[in-house]
Structure formats: C-alpha cells, structure tokens
Amino acid sequence: MIVGKLKEVNEIKDSLPADLESLLIVGCGSCVSVSLAGGEREAESLKNLLDFYYQTNNQEVAIETETIKRQCDDEFLDELELAMARNQIVLSLACGVGVQHLAIKYPDKIVLPGLDTTFYGRTSAIGEWEEMCHGCGKCILDQFAGVCPVARCSKSLLNGPCGGSQDGICEVDDSIECGWQKIYDRAEKLGQLESLLDFESPKDWSTHKDGGVRSHKDPEFFQE
Amino acid sequence: MAGIPEYELAWIGDKVETNFNDIQISAEDLVACQGEIGDFILTCNDQSNPDKIKVDNIIINLPYQEEAVIDGGVSLLDHNYNLEADRPAIILQDYPDLSAAFISREGLKRSLEIKNDYPDKEVYYFYQGMRFLEDNDRLYEEARKAGVVFLKFDIGQLTVSEDLKIKYKREDLELELTGTMMAAPELKATNETKRLAKIFNLAEGYQDYLQLDNIYLQPTLSGRRGVYLLRGSRGPTALTYFKEELDFTLKEVARNLTGVEEIDSYERTVDDQKCILCYTCYRVCPHGAIQRDAELNSMKVMNLACQGCNLCISRCPTSAIEIDYDYFQQKDSFDETTLIICENSAEIAAEKYDSMTGEDPLSGFQEIVVPCVSTVERKKVIKLLAEDSTDIMILGCVAEACKHLTGHDRCQQVVDRIKEDLEKLDLNQDRVHYKRLSPRMAKDLGGFLADWKEAVIQ
Amino acid sequence: MTRIGVIGGGIAGSTVAVELAEAGFDVTLFEKTDEIGGQISEFGCKATDICTRCNLCLVDSVFNQLHQDSNIEINKSHQVIDSYKENDRFTLYCEEDGVEKVYKDFDRIILATGYRRWSDLETGTPEIFTDQRIIWSGQFEEILFKRRDYLQNKDLELDLDFKPESAYFIQCNGSRSPQEKAAYCSRVCCGYNYRIARVLRETYPEMEIGIFFIDMQESGFLTDLSFQKLIDEGIKYFNCKPLRINKRDEKIEIAYEDQEVGEMKKVKTDLLVLSEGIHPGKENELWSKLFNLQLNSDGFLEEINPGKDTGVYLAGTVSGPGDIATTISKSKSVANEIIALEKEVVS
C-alpha cells in the first residue's frame, strides 16, 4: 500500500497561515491508516495538539476534523460538503494523491498536506514499513526470484550487485540490506541461479518517469 | 462448526497421560489457532489429524534443544551411552556457567547408575553447585559412598582442551583427566518456538522461550487465557519443577472445563465500517483477545479472552473499537491536578497508605482510575492539558505488577511522543509525568504525592 | 451451599478463599492475629533499575480482593483450638480474646497456617539478636517495605545506628543442616538475598558486598540467578559456608576456607545479613492431631489420605517451603480441585 509518515507537527503548524481562523483536518481511513499515520486517531490527536497550541498563544482558531474512508475517490469526498463549506483552509492527512484529489474537487480551498508520502511498501513488523515497489510500469519480478532489483537495490542495478555489497549490507547505508544479496539467496533456494546469468537489457524507463505523467483507461468503460 | 472433532485439551508437542478427552498435535503440524478459551479452533496440516479441531484448553509442552558445551563427548541427558573400557567416566555440569537445577539430579542418577553397573570404574563428577532438589542430598550421599569422586570448581577454574582433557587445579590437587566425557548440555528453545509464538500471538520472552516472564499469579499461564506453557516452551528451569507445574496446570484445566467467566465486564465492540483490518490491535493485544471475524470484514473482541487493558482502543488508527465506558469521564473537576492511576499498583498502594496512616494520599487530586495505563490515549492527555492549567501525573506498574505484560511500556511510548510533540511546538512539556511503581510502595507513594502536592499545587 | 473454612489469613489462605468465593462458595476465614497478610505483609519491593520479579506485586491484589468480596466472612483474632467432624461436616472451636466461639457445618477445611522464620525459633547464640551489626533478612524486608528511594529519590534508609561500608550475606541459616534439624532447602533464600544484595549494590555503588552460599539454588521461577551475574554486578561470592564468625571491635570477621588454594582466609564486614529459612509452623503438631494429618521428617504437614476424601486440604508453606509464586499457584490449584470436584458431583 501507499505508506506515509506524519510531518513533524511544527512543520505542519508553520505551513498554516498566521491569521488562521478556522481549519478542517481531513483524515483518510485507508492506506495511511494502515501505516498508522493519517487516520482518525491521528487526525483527532493533531486537532487536540493544535487547539492547545493556539490556545496557549492566545489565538482563537476553530478546528474540526472529519475522517473519510478514502480521499482518492469522488463519492467519499462528497461526505465533506458541509464541513468544507465552513472552512477555507484544509489540512489533508491523506497521501499525495488524496491531497490533490481534494484540491481538484474543491478548487477554491487551500489544501495543505499533513503527511509526507514515502513509498509503496509492506508492513514488515508492527510499526515498521519497507519499500517494495517503485511502480515502474513494467514488472520484471519473474526474472529475479521475486525480489525487485529496481526497488530493493539502492542503485536499481539489473545485472548483479555492485562492488560495495558486503555481508548482505548496501554500501549506501549500513542499515540497508543489499537487494542483490536477497535476489541471490532466493534464487539459490529456488534453484534459479542459472537464470540470473541471463543478461537483462537496459530497462525501458518510459513506463516509469521518463515518459511523462502516466494515466491509463480501462477499455471496458471507454469506447472509441 | 458442525462436524469438527472436539476435545477438552490439546497438547502441542509432547503429551502426558490424563483423564481428559485430549489430543496430541506436533508443533510442526500446527498451522493456526483462532478463538478463545473454551472454544479454540486449531488448524492442522498433517495426515493423522483432521484439518480443524475444536479444543477448550491448550498446553504447549515442547522438548528442549540441547546444545553441546563441549565438542565431542556425550550429552549427560542422553541415555544411550557407551563407556570406554579402562578409562574413567567423567560427568561435567555447570560448564561454563550454572546448569539448570534438574541437571544435578540427572547427573547424580547417572553417576549411581554407572557405579551400579561397573563398580570398579572410576567416576569423576565436576560441578560448581549441587542443587538441592527433592532427594538429591540422599543421592549425593549414596554416590559418595559408592566412590564417586566429587570435585567442585569455580568459574574459570576448569579447562577442557580440544582433545577432551580436563585440567583441574584446586587446593593441593592437580588433575589432568581424560575419559568418557558426559557433559550437561545447554538447554535452549527449539526452532518451533518462534513459529508458535506467531501462531498463538504470544510475545516472545527470555532467550526465545514463549513468555518466560512470570505471568500474573500462575507461572505456566501464557498471556492468552487457556493456553499454558510447560518445559521447553517456558524456559530452562521449567524442567526442575515440571511435576508440580504439570499438576497445577491440569487442575486449572479441570476447573476451566466447569465454565469460565469474563474477566472484564465492559462491552467492547468493533465498528466494522471503520475497521480496515490493519491488524494493529491484534499485534498489540497481550492476551490474544482480538481476532478477525470470519464473516464480517472486521476484527472482533473475544470477551472471554479479553482482560480489559484497552491497549487496542488506544492504538487503533481508525478509532474503530468502542467501549461502553469512558475512563476519562471520571474527571469532574478541573481545578485539581489530574492523577491517572493504575488499579493494579498505584490504587492499591494508595489504599494501603490510607489504612496504615489514616491519610488518603490522593486527596486534593482529581483521580482517574484505569485498568492499565495502556488505556491512556495521547489525544485525551493533550485535551486535558488544554482544558486544565494543572499537571498530569500518570502512575503505572513496574514490570511484574503489570497484569497486561507490556502495558506499562506502551504508556511510556505515549508519554514520550506527547513530550516530543509539545517540544516541537515550543509548549511546556513538563506538565506530563509518568512514574512506575509496585503496589508495595505505599510509603514511597504517600511521601511522593505529599511532596508533589506541595511543590505543584500552591 | 458448600461451606469452606479457611484457617490462616496469609497469602495461601487468602488465595484459596478468593478463588472459592469467586466461584460461588460460602467462605469463612480464620486468622489468629488481628491483621490479614501473614508473613509477607511487610516484605518490601526489591526493584532497582529493573523489576527483579520478587513476586510481591502479586500478593496485594489478592488481599484486596479478599477484603472486597462479600462472600467471605473474615474473623480476625480467632485462634482455632479444636475441631470436630461429624457426618462429613466440621465444627471449629475458636478462641477470640479468651472467649470461646463455635463455628459449625463446614464441608471443607483449608489449612493454610504458614511457617515460622528461623529468627522466630530463637535458636542460635543470643548475640545474633542483640548485636546491631547482625540483621536478619526479615529485618531487611522491613527496611525495603518502608523504602522511599524509588519514587521520592531519597536515600534508602537502613534503620541502623551506623553507616555500613560493607555487607556480607550468609545463606542457608536454618536450612540444609541436620544439626539445626532442617536438612531441607528452604528454596527462597538464595533468591531473596540476591535481590536484596542488588538493591544495596545499586544504592551504594562503593559498598563491599559478598554472599556466602552452599551451592546457589535455583529459587522458584527465577532463572537468571547465576555466579556470573554476581560477578557482573560486582558482588563477591563464596561457594562455601563460613567456618567461624568473630566479633572484633567495630567490624565482624568471617573466617572461611578458600577452596581454590585450600587456605583459611578472613574477611571483615560492617554488616552481616543472615538469611532465614522456612521452618514448620508452631501448631503443626496440633493440626496433625485435629485433622488426622502426618508430619513429615522435617516437621511439615502432609496428607495421609487425599483431601477429596477427608475434606481437609493443605495450602501454602504449612506443607513445605516455597516461594510466593509457587505458593499462590499451589493454593489456586487447591481451589481449582475443589471447584472441579464440586461441579462434577452436582452434574
């Protein structure tokens, strides 16, 4: 899922206008909740914290929160109509997708992000998430024993590890595990080592970032 | 579930003969465990057992993994051994550090056995401490009379070379010995324990055993009601008192079969519209009491397993779990400093102080009594800080007093986070305090609160 | 309604009473002193920077429940002096402040009258009781019970007229010694003295601390008791019992055999802490007669026939030494047995 991390609360506070009179905090009940970042609990905690801040600084600000299931689909945003009508400034705790969708739906509101959207990841342990996928648009996992060289090798190398891999640790940072070590270990276990010797030609990155902003349509809903 | 076999007790690992309607399942074959005491559903993966089994109680009774402390030689616990002719038998325990107590018993029995079978054989017994256990003292005397030579050593005083030669020097005795070496192995948890910890949703404890740390009021209880731990699932000392532990575990199982009641009477429900199955509640619950509901797409609280700490409620990211009682509603005055106190330690200590001195140490404070300080939610504390101008003191339990295993640590995480956030906004972070105590600290608590009242409340 | 009579208001009796009352039994508890709690009521928490699992946290909630449960009739200052069984029911005769009181119709009796500490036996030389520098572990427990160093950050008050710079512990007093008529191990002393030594070590980092053991025992469910741990914590240990204690002016001199070199050595200490074993209770002989039980060779009580046949059950240290967790578990076990039996009979 999309993993996000709450921004530091002072960064959030600094992004709010100095003459703030009312604020709507919108939480998202999907991916970011799973990454324990932008759900109803965090939205309410943040509201209470900002309430306390403004009260201590003698500034009257009316803060309300609403949490909807997702911020990336229109129908859920409809639930926010009334709250949106009451507020000019909106702090969205969704991922970057949700923040922008909200901005598209409510073009005359100032929509601010409360999260840093980080990566596509899995939950590796309670309270811990790891990046797994870069959304490159052309999956080659079948060739690497189920470990992605694009996302899990720091340099996205496709034909083997670099010289800096040591004891399974990446030379970029010793807290990062070498992705190619993982590919190797898995391939060995599955008896697929030979296939790693097949040359992987340079990736067509046009399906990733280099082809411009991506979108696609499902032909079942669109006819020529 | 119609048609699935039902048992009163399931043994995971080794079975002991009982009068219960029980079944044995090997640890490798067990795949999943759902449900709660009186109603566990086990999923197995093996020909000799059907897929799903319903059981009322579970005992995890694993063997140990033995790790030799010396390369070569024979394990003292191995009953198949061959003695080399014309060479002494050497029994070694407590090397390099103290062995579990029951090993002394095994060693003594072994030494007597050897002397019985081969009266002329020299038997040497090296030890750091001869533990007293049942009739060990009598066995020790018998062994000495039979001519077993007991040699005590201290840490670092015994060396065993690669060719299994023992060098011993003490007082005026200097020995170099080789012979059939029978050394006490180091006992460790088997590889299965990690897997079983996941299956039963138990925290791993000391040295990879399953929740070795003493569980409230009964040592073979795991945090999950109805799941008991014996022998290699519990720790190296579990073998020392195995008979006793087995006895009181089986008696508790018998009692459970007459019916169990809810430990906590409050109603906790999960809003299936808000629940996103992130499994956070499942992972934090110390009692395995919240599980996925097979029919609804949400989690549900198992009322017999739930022991009422509210850790799930305080951690759910979507605030999907509701309880029909608000602990924070207890606060009715905003002029007095708030004391959030745990009923398992601070409340008991306060009452004790009252009965000892006639003074209620809590008077002058606004007290909120909670079942565990893991109930404390970050957003509620912040709200209290905003509504009041007074401080908030949270009093929780030290490790052993905590009925919910990690509850006291979870509260520390919440308090740390609150202070961090306050600091980032340049707000005073010194108004929130967290202390842990034992219910025995009546005098300390009384004095502490009195001092604090003077300092904080003018 | 099954009526249970519990004799003894310590942790064992209270645990059985609470468990049975919760299960719907009618429980009457008799305690000969005027306070519930027994021997452990004034033991102190031994936490340092970590909780050392001394089991004391477990007991207070039991005593609390005892007082809160309205199904339990608590009779303090009641000394049981006689018992009479007729038609499977017991009558207990008690004495309260010299007045005899009779309680009838108990279906089961739980005997949980506990133990005596070695210091209560009043054996040994009189100096042990008068010399300020020699204290019992029990006295140390009292010091810890009154501790104010944990929350209040005050010094640990040692309640002594002097400030000791050294403290030595001697294990196995009144245990493992046929001469002292206690050949058994009391099972708790190595554990609790180790914890007490740790508290001293944490509070007084410069203090010289040592322990004399006869073989370190594995106490109860404490697993990380080892000689290596003592070394790591800077506590000296001697794997032998001292030969002689001499009093020299200000310090006490302990003579022992250094087993590594086979020489007699001496060590001086300001404070000597003696462990106390668990000894049979004073009335064990009386109970054996009243309730048809037997005394084992160490003087503790044992069943001749099982409780389910006689109606008399034993709980706690009346039947042998044990630490708190063991006592609670076994007491719960007695209650569990009675509950399971009851439901079986009814159904």
Side-chain angles (χ1 to χ4, degrees):
Chain A
M1 79 220 148
I2 299 179
V3 178
K5 196 165 172 260
L6 259 179
K7 282 181 175 292
E8 306 286 329
V9 65
N10 49 306
E11 198 187 326
I12 294 176
K13 182 257 298 174
D14 289 339
S15 73
L16 298 170
D19 56 353
L20 187 69
E21 284 174 1
S22 79
L23 176 69
L24 172 64
I25 301 179
V26 186
C28 175
S30 295
C31 312
V32 295
S33 284
V34 179
S35 47
L36 305 183
E40 183 173 315
R41 180 175 91 125
E42 285 306 328
E44 288 179 358
S45 298
L46 190 56
K47 167 188 148 48
N48 287 353
L49 197 50
L50 288 174
D51 269 341
F52 186 31
Y53 171 77
Y54 286 115
Q55 178 192 300
T56 306
N57 288 293
N58 293 316
Q59 194 173 339
E60 252 191 70
V61 182
I63 307 181
E64 51 179 306
T65 79
E66 287 283 339
T67 300
I68 53 178
K69 194 86 180 175
R70 293 201 290 282
Q71 292 186 25
C72 45
D73 274 320
D74 278 341
E75 287 80 358
F76 293 110
L77 297 189
D78 290 342
E79 297 168 23
L80 296 174
E81 282 290 346
L82 293 177
M84 279 300 206
R86 293 190 288 264
N87 291 279
Q88 180 60 19
I89 317 284
V90 183
L91 179 69
S92 164
L93 297 186
C95 66
V97 177
V99 179
Q100 293 184 74
H101 192 153
L102 203 57
I104 290 170
K105 183 93 170 147
Y106 295 95
D108 54 339
K109 307 288 179 187
I110 298 177
V111 185
L112 301 165
L115 254 58
D116 290 322
T117 307
T118 45
F119 47 74
Y120 303 145
R122 69 172 193 128
T123 308
S124 46
I126 183 173
E128 186 184 71
W129 297 271
E130 310 189 309
E131 183 166 22
M132 288 282 124
C133 175
H134 278 190
C136 73
K138 183 109 172 68
C139 191
I140 46 175
L141 274 171
D142 58 318
Q143 319 212 18
F144 299 95
V147 181
C148 177
V150 177
R152 296 172 72 188
C153 165
S154 300
K155 301 176 186 174
S156 299
L157 298 173
L158 298 181
N159 282 294
C162 70
S165 165
Q166 197 160 13
D167 295 324
I169 300 294
C170 173
E171 68 173 358
V172 168
D173 192 290
D174 57 19
S175 64
I176 302 175
E177 291 177 299
C178 171
W180 268 99
Q181 181 71 56
K182 289 188 184 292
I183 293 173
Y184 183 88
D185 290 340
R186 262 219 106 206
E188 185 177 31
K189 219 179 215 158
L190 296 170
Q192 293 176 353
L193 274 180
E194 283 297 308
S195 68
L196 289 184
L197 294 174
D198 296 339
F199 176 69
E200 183 73 22
S201 44
K203 202 171 201 318
D204 175 9
W205 293 106
S206 66
T207 56
H208 192 192
K209 308 172 268 223
D210 298 349
V213 180
R214 296 171 286 178
S215 68
H216 72 238
K217 297 179 165 122
D218 184 336
E220 202 175 314
F221 295 92
F222 291 90
Q223 286 160 341
E224 288 301 287
Chain B
M1 266 188 190
I4 69 169
E6 292 185 21
Y7 296 90
E8 292 173 324
L9 173 64
W11 296 88
I12 314 297
D14 301 328
K15 182 175 191 286
V16 172
E17 284 311 309
T18 66
N19 290 331
F20 297 117
N21 174 15
D22 53 6
I23 181 172
Q24 175 179 23
I25 301 172
S26 80
E28 301 90 60
D29 293 335
L30 186 66
V31 169
C33 171
Q34 284 142 327
E36 56 180 355
I37 183 174
D39 199 5
F40 290 109
I41 307 286
L42 297 177
T43 307
C44 307
N45 177 23
D46 134 74
Q47 268 73 56
S48 55
N49 283 321
D51 277 356
K52 287 209 190 301
I53 302 175
K54 177 173 174 309
V55 304
D56 297 323
N57 297 277
I58 297 169
I59 297 183
I60 307 177
N61 183 21
L62 299 173
Y64 293 89
Q65 187 158 293
E66 289 177 20
E67 225 174 74
V69 294
I70 293 179
D71 285 325
V74 167
S75 161
L76 182 56
L77 300 177
D78 189 352
H79 291 288
N80 301 320
Y81 58 91
N82 288 316
L83 295 172
E84 297 161 66
D86 301 328
R87 298 237 278 176
I90 302 175
I91 298 177
L92 175 63
Q93 68 171 58
D94 303 330
Y95 182 84
D97 203 345
L98 285 176
S99 308
F102 95 104
I103 296 246
S104 328
R105 192 168 170 69
E106 294 301 304
L108 288 172
K109 289 200 300 200
R110 173 66 58 87
S111 70
L112 280 171
E113 195 177 271
I114 296 176
K115 272 297 186 181
N116 219 17
D117 295 341
Y118 308 94
D120 293 326
K121 196 157 238 358
E122 284 184 331
V123 182
Y124 294 89
Y125 197 131
F126 293 92
Y127 69 105
Q128 279 188 43
M130 192 56 70
R131 312 294 191 93
F132 182 98
L133 191 64
E134 295 175 29
D135 55 353
N136 268 13
D137 277 4
R138 182 186 56 80
L139 290 176
Y140 175 74
E141 268 181 51
E142 262 184 56
R144 285 193 65 170
K145 285 193 193 136
V148 175
V149 179
F150 285 90
L151 296 162
K152 197 171 190 177
F153 65 94
D154 220 337
I155 289 188
Q157 278 179 6
L158 189 81
T159 50
V160 185
S161 61
E162 259 182 41
D163 52 348
L164 299 186
K165 189 190 296 201
I166 286 198
K167 281 208 175 108
Y168 176 88
K169 185 178 189 313
R170 202 155 163 99
E171 296 190 26
D172 52 356
L173 185 64
E174 213 172 308
L175 269 186
E176 266 186 29
L177 270 183
T178 46
T180 312
M181 172 82 76
M182 289 176 278
E186 228 181 287
L187 296 177
K188 297 221 152 119
T190 65
N191 293 329
E192 288 304 322
T193 47
K194 272 199 192 324
R195 224 182 108 254
L196 288 181
K198 270 222 118 151
I199 291 175
F200 287 99
N201 202 10
L202 297 172
E204 274 166 64
Y206 180 81
Q207 283 179 3
D208 293 341
Y209 288 101
L210 294 170
Q211 273 179 345
L212 173 68
D213 289 343
N214 196 13
I215 301 302
Y216 218 82
L217 289 183
Q218 211 265 67
T220 65
L221 268 177
S222 70
R224 189 162 176 181
R225 206 172 171 201
V227 179
Y228 299 92
L229 306 171
L230 291 176
R231 278 168 76 226
S233 40
R234 221 166 68 66
T237 55
L239 212 42
T240 306
Y241 299 115
F242 178 59
K243 270 191 260 169
E244 287 178 0
E245 294 188 2
L246 179 65
D247 182 60
F248 58 68
T249 303
L250 291 178
K251 291 224 170 92
E252 186 156 320
V253 166
R255 190 260 175 90
N256 291 345
L257 291 173
T258 67
V260 286
E261 282 173 19
E262 287 180 15
I263 294 176
D264 175 273
S265 53
Y266 292 116
E267 180 90 42
R268 286 168 187 80
T269 49
V270 179
D271 181 343
D272 62 316
Q273 293 306 304
K274 284 188 178 175
C275 176
I276 49 171
L277 290 175
C278 68
Y279 276 93
T280 301
C281 54
Y282 175 86
R283 292 169 191 151
V284 298
C285 177
H287 308 294
I290 189 158
Q291 293 169 27
R292 180 156 177 192
D293 185 319
E295 280 132 21
L296 302 171
N297 237 355
S298 95
M299 306 299 277
K300 71 170 173 202
V301 178
M302 322 286 295
N303 289 313
L304 288 178
C306 175
Q307 299 190 31
C309 65
N310 293 332
L311 188 44
C312 54
I313 296 176
S314 71
R315 288 301 198 266
C316 173
T318 59
S319 303
I321 310 178
E322 286 154 355
I323 182 180
D324 59 354
Y325 180 69
D326 180 8
Y327 292 95
F328 278 61
Q329 229 171 43
Q330 292 171 37
K331 187 175 169 78
D332 52 22
S333 147
F334 292 102
D335 293 328
E336 296 177 321
T337 302
T338 309
L339 271 185
I340 302 174
I341 63 177
C342 180
E343 65 187 21
N344 298 313
S345 55
E347 191 185 25
I348 296 178
E351 278 167 12
K352 222 183 173 63
Y353 187 76
D354 196 338
S355 68
M356 275 171 15
T357 62
E359 277 167 39
D360 178 10
L362 304 176
S363 76
F365 294 105
Q366 175 65 66
E367 63 185 82
I368 298 179
V369 181
V370 290
C372 180
V373 290
S374 58
T375 298
V376 173
E377 290 181 67
R378 187 175 9 119
K379 65 185 183 194
K380 296 202 169 155
V381 175
I382 298 173
K383 189 146 189 255
L384 269 181
L385 286 173
E387 284 168 352
D388 271 3
S389 55
T390 57
D391 282 30
I392 300 174
M393 167 73 71
I394 305 170
L395 296 173
C397 299
V398 291
E400 183 147 77
C402 183
K403 276 186 171 169
H404 305 288
L405 306 175
T406 52
H408 60 110
D409 280 334
R410 301 282 183 196
C411 183
Q412 183 70 62
Q413 291 166 340
V414 168
V415 171
D416 288 344
R417 171 84 189 264
I418 293 171
K419 285 182 184 261
E420 261 173 48
D421 282 344
L422 291 175
E423 195 178 14
K424 287 179 190 150
L425 290 176
D426 280 327
L427 296 167
N428 181 7
Q429 48 151 322
D430 293 330
R431 285 176 58 204
V432 185
H433 314 267
Y434 177 46
K435 293 246 175 231
R436 289 180 242 207
L437 65 148
S438 122
R440 281 267 135 158
M441 293 177 173
K443 279 241 148 83
D444 210 350
L445 181 65
F448 173 73
L449 288 176
D451 289 346
W452 194 48
K453 213 189 300 191
E454 253 184 69
V456 164
I457 304 175
Q458 267 93 25
Chain C
M1 175 67 117
T2 310
R3 256 166 72 77
I4 314 277
V6 179
I7 306 178
I11 185 59
S14 303
T15 302
V16 181
V18 160
E19 291 289 317
L20 289 177
E22 249 175 41
F25 291 75
D26 172 355
V27 180
T28 309
L29 185 112
F30 300 94
E31 164 56 41
K32 74 175 181 203
T33 70
D34 57 0
E35 295 267 352
I36 295 290
Q39 297 274 12
I40 57 168
S41 37
E42 304 240 314
F43 285 8
C45 167
K46 302 177 188 62
T48 53
D49 50 333
I50 54 169
C51 166
T52 54
R53 308 274 176 194
C54 67
N55 299 160
L56 281 173
C57 287
L58 313 180
V59 310
D60 289 310
S61 76
V62 175
F63 293 130
N64 244 30
Q65 282 180 277
L66 183 79
H67 287 119
Q68 283 165 11
D69 195 324
S70 49
N71 275 346
I72 306 176
E73 182 188 312
I74 303 176
N75 295 317
K76 296 192 237 191
S77 306
H78 275 58
Q79 169 79 57
V80 172
I81 52 174
D82 210 345
S83 154
Y84 179 63
K85 186 175 179 183
E86 188 179 31
N87 294 331
D88 283 339
R89 303 200 100 191
F90 296 86
T91 303
L92 291 177
Y93 298 84
C94 304
E95 201 177 86
E96 183 190 10
D97 298 326
V99 178
E100 190 181 275
K101 297 209 164 146
V102 185
Y103 294 82
K104 294 180 177 237
D105 298 327
F106 291 109
D107 299 292
R108 309 227 198 289
I109 300 289
I110 316 288
L111 198 53
T113 49
Y115 66 97
R116 266 181 304 170
R117 305 185 200 175
W118 197 49
S119 55
D120 291 336
L121 295 180
E122 295 188 1
T123 60
T125 57
E127 283 102 41
I128 302 179
F129 297 90
T130 54
D131 193 327
Q132 268 264 332
R133 302 164 294 173
I134 305 180
I135 67 172
W136 300 102
S137 304
Q139 287 168 268
F140 221 105
E141 293 279 5
E142 280 165 33
I143 290 170
L144 288 173
F145 185 65
K146 296 192 223 137
R147 70 192 294 196
R148 295 185 300 153
D149 57 312
Y150 202 78
L151 289 175
Q152 288 185 268
N153 264 329
K154 299 203 160 132
D155 288 328
L156 180 68
E157 286 155 20
L158 285 182
D159 247 356
L160 301 164
D161 287 339
F162 60 99
K163 198 165 177 329
E165 279 169 12
S166 48
Y168 275 76
F169 293 74
I170 300 188
Q171 298 303 103
C172 299
N173 296 300
S175 302
R176 303 204 74 190
S177 159
Q179 295 96 326
E180 293 170 36
K181 301 203 180 72
Y184 57 89
C185 165
S186 291
R187 277 166 67 154
V188 295
C189 322
C190 285
Y192 70 59
N193 265 352
Y194 165 69
R195 293 178 180 100
I196 291 176
R198 285 193 82 254
V199 174
L200 275 181
R201 170 51 75 231
E202 163 120 336
T203 323
Y204 303 105
E206 303 301 316
M207 193 187 257
E208 189 185 316
I209 302 175
I211 311 184
F212 283 88
F213 292 97
I214 303 179
D215 305 320
M216 182 186 276
Q217 298 302 318
E218 198 172 80
S219 297
F221 307 112
L222 180 70
T223 55
D224 46 5
L225 187 55
S226 72
F227 292 129
Q228 186 63 49
K229 276 223 146 212
L230 293 174
I231 294 175
D232 293 340
E233 287 164 15
I235 297 173
K236 292 199 223 179
Y237 70 90
F238 306 88
N239 207 351
C240 63
K241 204 163 177 186
L243 297 167
R244 200 159 30 241
I245 314 275
N246 292 319
K247 285 151 0 129
R248 300 240 177 280
D249 304 326
E250 282 167 30
K251 290 189 188 273
I252 294 182
E253 190 181 77
I254 305 173
Y256 68 98
E257 184 197 355
D258 181 334
Q259 297 182 332
E260 199 185 340
V261 294
E263 281 170 20
M264 179 130 122
K265 290 212 177 129
K266 294 184 182 161
V267 82
K268 289 202 170 85
T269 180
D270 292 328
L271 185 65
L272 191 65
V273 185
L274 301 178
S275 73
E276 294 188 70
I278 289 182
H279 287 260
K282 210 164 44 165
E283 290 119 355
N284 280 8
E285 217 182 300
L286 174 65
W287 306 136
S288 70
K289 296 192 183 119
L290 287 186
F291 297 110
N292 199 23
L293 301 160
Q294 64 185 353
L295 291 169
N296 71 9
S297 55
D298 298 321
F300 293 98
L301 284 173
E302 267 178 18
E303 293 173 342
I304 301 176
N305 291 308
K308 65 176 163 64
D309 298 330
T310 62
V312 177
Y313 293 83
L314 300 172
T317 48
V318 70
S319 55
D323 69 338
I324 297 170
T326 316
T327 299
I328 295 179
S329 310
K330 287 190 177 176
S331 305
K332 269 185 93 172
S333 174
V334 167
N336 284 337
E337 191 179 316
I338 295 175
I339 294 169
L341 220 61
E342 175 91 354
K343 306 275 167 113
E344 238 173 73
V345 167
V346 169
S347 67

